[in-house]
Amino acid sequence: MRDPDQVLDQIRVRYGKNWRDWLLHGTETDFAFALAAPSAQMIARDSEVVDRWLRVWRDWLKAHPSARLRTISRRTVVGTQEVFTHLDIPTVDDLVSLDHRLTDHWARADVRWTRLRALPNGVVVQRLRPYLQQIVDMADADFQILHDAVVWFTENPRSGLTIRQVPVLGMHTKWLARNRRLVLACLDVTEQSRADSGQSDEGLEQNDLDPLGLKALPVHVDVILADAADRALVGGLRHLSAPLAEIDALPIRPDTVVIVENKESAYIILDRPRTVVVHSLGNHLNVLSEINWLTGARHLYWGDLDRAGFTLLSRARTRLPRLVSVLMDPATLEEHKALAVEDETRADSPDPNLTATETAALAALSKQHGTHARLEQERIPLPFVFDRLRLALNTIGPDRP
């Protein structure tokens, strides 16, 4: 015999499996839930238990007048007994009213779906089905941004604006990075499948923005001209930050390019003939394939000794296959492990091109209980850094005379 709490569990399961279909295709009616009614033998044997079960359901029904209890008469050795066999509920609204969490969820889902269906582009039902839970879970402010963004992109499919120029209140780069696929689904825009670029939600690249008709800001590249002769070509500037096209057009031809993950570490690198430092690329490592003066030079990479650092190293090597790492080995980590901290950030897996030494260093970052260490490059003492950099720079020579 099922009591009201057990049947409510069944109702929650039924709702969880079907609410999307009810929302998209219309609601069912006349829900029925079997109560596992007692047999005649059980009534005769445990009449007190059965009477108590019947009272529980009668009391429950008084508090839920929209529901109905179906009955049947059982003939027993002690007489005829009427028992409940099913709980009948006429509509979805009556169904969700039995649990306040279902009531809130259904009301929010219904209102938001109604608003989306009223959008001028006419949303495609099946296209949005996988996103319905995300839509319902959104904060009210985020849903309003989504609604307004879909309206604006429908009316301006090829605006050529940057994200911040789009006049949708509350929409910014991080919001669009988190919700871009949902916006595209509401617009019924299909983008070509492509490999994950590793782009964070700090920014979106042009191929992310093309389906929305937007324009990405030009990627700026930071370089340090460590050769006085190169600096003379640009008015004596040592530190440059400019759009990729302008960096690519620099009249330089270095023998050695040192790629450094962080700005502070890049700034300590001393002058050296025919040497350029490229730093602070973050996830914009695709620029390494688009700077022509990198061709023919030898490439060094120095990043943090953490999981993200090795992922970035591997992605840089995907663009520059002859890339050599420095200060990213087990010995450096072991000697300075007292300076490491716990790494609580999420990290993507590296591309499958790490060397055996780099793989060993990455493995050495793992600690007990699933935690990981992180040794930021800035924390390594400068005498050690200068010694290893000098050794690496003197070991690798240019390909060209």
Side-chain angles (χ1 to χ4, degrees), residues 7 16 36 47 78 123 127 208 217 219 226 257 265 269 293 316 331 363:
V7 175
S47 60
V78 295
V123 297
R127 182 73 186 277
D208 298 311
L217 290 172
V219 175
V257 176
S265 298
I269 296 180
W293 46 259

Side-chain angles (χ1 to χ4, degrees), residues 2-5 49-62 69 84:
R2 297 189 182 99
D3 60 29
D5 287 340
V49 173
V50 173
D51 287 343
R52 186 163 54 249
W53 177 75
L54 292 170
R55 285 196 302 271
V56 168
W57 272 112
R58 291 190 187 100
D59 291 342
W60 184 91
L61 188 63
K62 292 176 183 177
L69 287 170
F84 304 129

